[in-house]
Amino acid sequence: MKLPWKRSGAPSNSDGDDRLARNVLWKIADSPASISAFSSIIAIVSGLIVGFVIMLIVNPGDAVPGFLTILFGWLSEGSRSVGDMLYYGVPIVLTGLSVAFAFRTGLFNIGATGQLTMGAFTAVYIGVNWGFLGAAHWIVAVLGGMVAGAIWGGIAGLLKAFRNVHEVVSSIMLNYIAMYLNTMLIMQLIYNRQYARAVSPLPSALIPTWFLRDVFPGSSVNVGIFIAIGLTVLLHIILNRTVFGYELKSVGFNREAAKYAGMNAKRNIVLSMTISGALAGIAGAIMFLVAGRHLEPVNQLMQEGFTGIAIALLGLSAPVGVFLAGLFYGALEQGGYYLQLFDFMPEIIDIIIAVIIYFSAFSLFIQAYVAEYLRRRLGAEVELPQGATIK
Amino acid sequence: MEYIIEMDKITKEFPGIKANDQVDLKLKKGEIHALLGENGAGKSTLMSVLFGLYKPDEGTIKVRGKLVSISNPNDANKLGIGMVHQHFKLVHNFTVAENIILGHEDTTKGFLRYENAVSKIQNLSKQYKLKVDPSAIIENISVGQQQRVEILKMLYRDAEILIFDEPTASLTPQEIEELMKILRSLAEEGKSIILITHKLTEIQQVADRCTILRKGKYIDTVDVAQTSNEELAEKMVGRKVVFDIEKAPAQPGETILKVENLWVRSIHSNTDRVQGVSLDVKRGEILCVAGIEGNGQSELIHGLVGLTPLSKGKILIHGEDITHATTRERNLSGISHIPEDRQRHGLVLDFSLEYNLILNSYFEKAYQRRGFLAFNSIREHAQDLIQQYDIRSSHGPLSLARSMSGGNQQKAILGREIDHGSDLLIAVQPTRGLDVGAIEFIHKQIIAERDRGKAVLLVSLELDEVMGLSDRIIVMYGGELVGEFDPQTVSENELGLYMSGARRRGVA
């Protein structure tokens, strides 16, 4: 009798274990989505391993407890640390959504930083000066930030659509314009000389905390988390259920086919960049309409925009995935905060988070690698997920 | 030693499919052995195994009686196996000689011994009657000559076993005849040849024996001289095949499409690739644009459907001027378009089948409600078309277009475009790369469209298709129309002369 996994005349490498492994690999190879998810997990795990190795080199004695703190620190103080995890996660979720949305239309918005800066400035300006708005003050300030970000993103979109200027080039340039413009406008319009920073927004402009103050006592979490959840759901619906999302994805997957089908690629490019910018603008508003956080006239690009790129990749450019990846980032950030309890230089926290994010950004590369590995192993033409073209 | 290659019980399994299932191939020294099968029958997989690109799950390969393991193309080359790919692998701005020696350079102390190479090439070219100038630049020579360069490349590497993958796909009838002579003389010089093809006439012309594969399985190896075309086709497809395209005489009605003095600029350079083309297509007829690839047919169609801006000229549909209309407006005014490149233009490969079936109608009332996609009607529409056009796939309406076979991808596009109900159907190489069964189906559908009173503009490179399907033929050469013919009275040879630019006459 022939056993199903032992075929006669089979080469020696086709033993039972190998057969099982191949079946698992086939499952993974079966759909681009599972290759992507698999790659994201590999990215996170390898980032964590390298981070751990760095900790071992710096301080072998505390490496293990320190590493566990990074991973699980966000649970250490119960609702307070969970609340702070959410607080750290929200801006990153939003910049991640910003980059991811542009990705889905086949555009690489590397300018989330600039859009975020413009949003932050506009929100703070409204927050400082438009106290007459009363209860609607913070809402208008956030909307102002959104519009500013949208304009900044839209410029890159217009340049791409009508002048064929690559969005990566134009949005990098716009990042620097936003950075210097921010410094200039703060100095001219809302400068607090005493502290060398922007004037604090009025209390009515700060993002409210509602009942969250009671649920997560002592933490900084505010209703920004609801905005992030709402936008995640909204983008999920737009991308998956609407005609508009259908068009955007068609353009993103195959611009030639979209043109063939009579879609207006230019309009879609401009809209996609505008929406992407708006999301980054909201992130900027939510980051700075907070007590104790101030815009400063320093010529420095804000990192949150770039982190958003990694988060978008890690979240596979799907709104829900990006939301989870953003919260993962928040958890690391929060865990890193508690790392100060051990004998680590404060900078090591940033280095380790950077390593993990860095590896996440590799997930595209890892996707290509995984697909190539599967192709060799199984001999099949494994399809690369959208975007994974780096070889 | 009777056989130079013996592939024995080769099995190669991919996720979900056995691409080769116990396939045998035995090649005699000095014979031309055809490998026949539809797309997806496993011909390429088998050759990839022989060429070291894939490792077989089971089975053995013997070369010259010795058991070998071929794990990459270099191993194959060392065993004297060479391959001419369907799409040539040549460096366009290198000379013929440079291309031939590329990767196999003869050097002393790092300096190229170019003269030696050239004289070796000249000897080979004399011995095998492969006329080609070693100092010519590749982009300046014809496709047929480029193919000879590919052949010389193998001979230069002392290949004894030559594999030709669909070698006639982009040749004119005259060039095909030339190639057949070359194949025969190579065999006479003792080379062993494997000819991958799905064209039965070529097999009858040159092959000694023929191995047939179907759905990954070995079917038979036959002596070509004792087998008819019908038998070969039946073995290949698994059922009887109707060769002749049956159609009633055309009954042309009023003019649907009228094109006046059209000039279309190339996307890549500043020259006009379509130069003053005028034509009209009437209701109930199939007008075929014949020509060799790259003579402006693609640009003509892109100009017609609005993908490339026009330099000058006028396009009328139903007498209505659509010269400046957008692609969407043209589609709505009554143009359906089966594009040349089904994967680049015709489909969004990462979309499901049902999404692809609404690619140019998603905005219509039937498929949306207030901007939200109407999933139920999209699904019903997909199921209708799947049934009507026999579109086969693994997961029905939810199959990823990428995962479907070429034939089914094309049926999906065909169904979508015919379902659109436009008066003009533009079909560009609708059967390119498809197998006999799918070709038969698509031809029938196109004729049915004509009989329903639609105007059909067909662009084809396949002479069989041109002759069998069309009611009127116009030949395009160098961006111009060089002749108009009646398929009843013109011969393939005569068309070939016009297609290669050897002859021309004014078109009414």
Side-chain angles (χ1 to χ4, degrees):
Chain A
M1 194 187 91
K2 255 197 267 180
L3 293 173
W5 60 86
K6 280 261 189 213
R7 289 172 299 182
S8 59
S12 59
N13 66 350
S14 292
D15 56 22
D17 286 349
D18 194 59
R19 192 88 183 131
L20 183 71
R22 280 173 67 97
N23 279 334
V24 173
L25 290 177
W26 278 2
K27 285 261 156 55
I28 295 171
D30 196 36
S31 89
S34 61
I35 292 182
S36 303
F38 188 61
S39 312
S40 283
I41 291 167
I42 292 183
I44 290 173
V45 171
S46 27
L48 289 171
I49 291 171
V50 173
F52 180 62
V53 169
I54 292 175
M55 293 177 82
L56 271 177
I57 294 169
V58 174
N59 181 353
D62 283 342
V64 173
F67 186 66
L68 290 175
T69 301
I70 288 186
L71 278 186
F72 302 110
W74 60 286
L75 291 167
S76 65
E77 282 188 74
S79 57
R80 184 180 115 87
S81 51
V82 172
D84 277 343
M85 180 267 269
L86 297 175
Y87 169 72
Y88 285 125
V90 165
I92 301 303
V93 168
L94 291 172
T95 52
L97 288 175
S98 162
V99 177
F101 192 75
F103 266 147
R104 293 303 285 269
T105 320
L107 298 166
F108 187 16
N109 180 15
I110 206 169
T113 292
Q115 294 141 20
L116 178 140
T117 307
M118 295 313 289
F121 173 80
T122 310
V124 170
Y125 179 84
I126 294 173
V128 171
N129 290 319
W130 292 10
F132 59 86
L133 288 166
H137 193 182
W138 73 273
I139 297 175
V140 174
V142 171
L143 290 177
M146 180 181 91
V147 170
I151 293 172
W152 220 244
I155 294 172
L158 287 168
L159 286 170
K160 166 86 177 184
F162 293 99
R163 281 284 163 265
N164 208 18
V165 180
H166 200 284
E167 74 277 5
V168 168
V169 176
S170 63
S171 58
I172 287 177
M173 295 301 155
L174 284 164
N175 281 345
Y176 286 95
I177 297 173
M179 181 181 84
Y180 290 115
L181 201 61
N182 181 45
T183 304
M184 189 185 92
L185 291 174
I186 290 171
M187 303 280 265
Q188 283 186 353
L189 299 174
I190 47 170
Y191 196 44
N192 181 339
R193 282 183 194 288
Q194 202 178 349
Y195 297 103
R197 66 191 188 198
V199 179
S200 306
L202 297 171
S204 60
L206 299 181
I207 309 280
T209 53
W210 294 350
F211 59 88
L212 292 170
R213 204 175 1 190
D214 306 322
V215 181
F216 302 104
S219 81
S220 317
V221 66
N222 56 38
V223 300
I225 182 67
F226 295 126
I227 297 179
I229 292 173
L231 287 171
T232 303
V233 173
L234 182 68
L235 291 186
H236 181 81
I237 290 174
I238 288 180
L239 281 173
N240 295 311
R241 309 203 80 98
T242 67
V243 170
F244 177 50
Y246 178 89
E247 273 200 18
L248 287 180
K249 283 194 290 183
S250 307
V251 174
F253 280 135
N254 185 348
R255 190 163 298 169
E256 293 298 320
K259 275 189 210 160
Y260 153 84
M263 294 177 195
N264 188 337
K266 289 184 175 157
R267 176 174 152 268
N268 282 313
I269 287 168
V270 176
L271 278 176
S272 169
M273 282 304 282
T274 304
I275 291 171
S276 176
L279 290 163
I282 295 173
I286 289 179
M287 272 168 65
F288 287 94
L289 292 175
V290 166
R293 187 119 196 231
H294 294 90
L295 273 178
E296 290 173 27
V298 287
N299 293 330
Q300 226 171 33
L301 293 173
M302 295 191 197
Q303 291 312 307
E304 284 79 359
F306 297 118
T307 308
I309 297 171
I311 294 303
L313 295 176
L314 196 56
L316 310 175
S317 298
V320 177
V322 170
F323 183 82
L324 295 175
L327 291 191
F328 171 68
Y329 177 85
L332 292 181
E333 185 95 334
Q334 178 64 11
Y337 170 78
Y338 294 112
L339 199 60
Q340 293 172 28
L341 299 172
F342 300 92
D343 184 20
F344 285 105
M345 301 283 285
E347 284 77 17
I348 194 80
I349 304 162
D350 290 336
I351 291 178
I352 289 164
I353 291 177
V355 165
I356 293 171
I357 294 300
Y358 190 73
F359 269 82
S360 322
F362 268 157
S363 62
L364 273 190
F365 180 76
I366 293 173
Q367 270 174 18
Y369 181 80
V370 167
E372 175 64 18
Y373 170 78
L374 291 172
R375 192 187 73 75
R376 287 197 177 184
R377 187 71 193 272
L378 305 173
E381 279 305 317
V382 173
E383 300 148 11
L384 281 182
Q386 152 74 5
T389 48
I390 302 162
K391 282 254 167 160
Chain B
M1 187 182 70
E2 197 192 357
Y3 295 113
I4 189 157
I5 287 186
E6 284 171 84
M7 297 181 83
D8 195 29
K9 302 255 181 307
I10 299 288
T11 296
K12 178 73 201 168
E13 206 170 340
F14 293 143
I17 180 173
K18 270 193 178 173
N20 279 165
D21 187 3
Q22 310 263 332
V23 173
D24 295 345
L25 177 71
K26 293 189 168 52
L27 179 66
K28 284 183 192 161
K29 189 167 164 50
E31 76 165 341
I32 300 180
H33 193 116
L35 186 57
L36 177 68
E38 296 191 286
N39 286 296
K43 294 172 297 190
S44 314
T45 307
L46 189 66
M47 286 304 108
S48 298
V49 167
L50 179 59
F51 213 56
L53 294 168
Y54 292 147
K55 196 171 175 264
D57 298 335
E58 287 173 38
T60 55
I61 304 174
K62 281 187 197 167
V63 176
R64 297 181 193 89
K66 251 190 273 167
L67 203 62
V68 293
S69 134
I70 305 176
S71 54
N72 59 52
N74 285 338
D75 289 356
N77 285 333
K78 272 179 216 146
L79 291 166
I81 303 172
M83 186 153 174
V84 173
H85 296 268
Q86 189 175 356
H87 300 284
F88 305 146
K89 306 201 180 297
L90 298 170
V91 184
H92 276 235
N93 46 3
F94 271 21
T95 64
V96 168
E98 282 166 342
N99 265 288
I100 291 172
I101 61 175
L102 189 65
H104 211 267
E105 299 87 351
D106 187 10
T107 55
T108 23
K109 294 179 184 157
F111 288 95
L112 209 53
R113 293 165 65 184
Y114 194 70
E115 302 311 318
N116 286 11
V118 169
S119 69
K120 184 174 173 189
I121 291 167
Q122 278 164 340
N123 287 340
L124 284 173
S125 128
K126 216 173 288 164
Q127 185 185 350
Y128 295 101
K129 300 184 193 75
L130 291 160
K131 250 186 279 168
V132 63
D133 171 11
S135 60
I137 307 282
I138 292 295
E139 58 192 358
N140 297 335
I141 63 180
S142 71
V143 179
Q145 285 178 313
Q146 290 180 10
Q147 194 169 48
R148 280 180 225 161
V149 177
E150 284 281 6
I151 299 171
L152 279 170
K153 227 161 103 181
M154 296 193 297
L155 298 173
Y156 187 82
R157 286 158 178 68
D158 300 321
E160 290 290 319
I161 301 143
L162 313 179
I163 306 171
F164 288 82
D165 186 7
E166 305 270 353
T168 59
S170 46
L171 301 184
T172 63
Q174 284 79 8
E175 282 174 328
I176 291 175
E177 201 146 302
E178 194 65 23
L179 175 71
M180 295 298 145
K181 274 187 209 150
I182 293 171
L183 290 181
R184 251 178 256 126
S185 79
L186 285 169
E188 275 159 24
E189 294 279 340
K191 306 283 182 191
S192 316
I193 294 173
I194 298 176
L195 177 68
I196 305 173
T197 186
H198 56 242
K199 291 185 186 159
L200 301 171
T201 43
E202 288 165 14
I203 294 177
Q204 292 288 359
Q205 269 177 37
V206 291
D208 302 310
R209 294 192 308 145
C210 175
T211 292
I212 301 129
L213 303 185
R214 185 168 76 226
K215 290 182 183 143
K217 289 203 171 62
Y218 172 84
I219 301 297
D220 201 358
T221 299
V222 296
D223 264 328
V224 173
Q226 283 147 33
T227 319
S228 70
N229 264 354
E230 283 72 19
E231 281 170 84
L232 283 176
E234 202 179 328
K235 283 187 201 288
M236 168 166 74
V237 187
R239 62 181 167 80
K240 288 228 182 298
V241 181
V242 185
F243 273 105
D244 295 319
I245 304 171
E246 284 174 44
K247 66 181 174 69
Q251 288 165 337
E254 91 254 25
T255 301
I256 299 284
L257 173 76
K258 193 165 181 61
V259 177
E260 288 170 10
N261 191 29
L262 200 72
W263 293 68
V264 184
R265 187 141 292 194
S266 145
I267 314 164
H268 308 291
S269 67
N270 256 348
T271 51
D272 282 309
R273 297 297 303 276
V274 175
Q275 303 175 352
V277 167
S278 301
L279 55 87
D280 52 357
V281 194
K282 297 185 182 66
R283 229 181 238 298
E285 73 163 352
I286 298 174
L287 174 66
C288 181
V289 181
I292 300 165
E293 192 157 19
N295 276 290
Q297 302 99 312
S298 313
E299 287 82 0
L300 170 66
I301 300 303
H302 283 186
L304 285 180
V305 297
L307 286 173
T308 311
L310 307 177
S311 307
K312 59 181 162 183
K314 213 170 170 188
I315 306 169
L316 303 165
I317 193 150
H318 290 304
E320 188 192 332
D321 191 339
I322 56 158
T323 313
H324 302 290
T326 62
T327 302
R328 171 71 44 89
E329 288 160 354
R330 291 179 203 212
N331 286 346
L332 294 176
S333 76
I335 298 182
S336 280
H337 174 201
I338 298 170
E340 176 175 2
D341 190 331
R342 68 183 80 98
Q343 306 203 334
R344 204 161 94 92
H345 286 107
L347 296 167
V348 177
L349 292 175
D350 295 292
F351 269 170
S352 62
L353 172 58
E354 61 178 1
Y355 269 27
N356 271 296
L357 289 174
I358 55 164
L359 195 61
N360 39 27
S361 54
Y362 64 93
F363 52 89
E364 284 171 4
K365 266 206 189 101
Y367 306 119
Q368 62 143 321
R369 232 154 276 133
R370 297 200 183 120
F372 285 86
L373 295 170
F375 292 112
N376 288 340
S377 43
I378 292 172
R379 178 67 49 86
E380 276 166 29
H381 174 248
Q383 276 159 349
D384 277 356
L385 291 188
I386 287 173
Q387 208 186 359
Q388 219 175 319
Y389 293 91
D390 188 32
I391 306 165
R392 291 180 209 171
S393 58
S394 52
H395 301 93
L398 292 176
S399 317
L400 220 53
R402 189 184 288 287
S403 70
M404 292 164 53
S405 72
N408 284 298
Q409 288 180 346
Q410 191 71 339
K411 282 189 207 166
I413 296 174
L414 180 89
R416 180 181 76 204
E417 295 307 316
I418 290 182
D419 184 66
H420 214 241
S422 310
D423 279 332
L424 174 67
L425 175 66
I426 298 177
V428 187
Q429 297 188 46
T431 58
R432 179 185 226 177
L434 302 186
D435 55 54
V436 177
I439 290 175
E440 202 184 350
F441 180 85
I442 285 172
H443 283 170
K444 271 189 195 154
Q445 293 292 338
I446 290 176
I447 291 168
E449 265 303 89
R450 183 202 72 165
D451 293 343
R452 278 191 285 269
K454 304 292 164 74
V456 180
L457 179 61
L458 174 75
V459 177
S460 178
L461 307 176
E462 302 277 345
L463 269 184
D464 293 347
E465 186 167 271
V466 172
M467 299 296 276
L469 215 52
S470 59
D471 300 315
R472 213 150 47 93
I473 302 171
I474 48 179
V475 175
M476 216 169 159
Y477 175 77
E480 295 173 77
L481 296 187
V482 295
E484 176 171 340
F485 306 92
D486 179 349
Q488 307 290 341
T489 57
V490 72
S491 73
E492 291 203 11
N493 244 331
E494 198 180 349
L495 275 184
L497 290 172
Y498 283 86
M499 282 162 65
S500 59
R503 258 195 236 167
R504 59 182 299 150
R505 67 171 182 233
V507 182

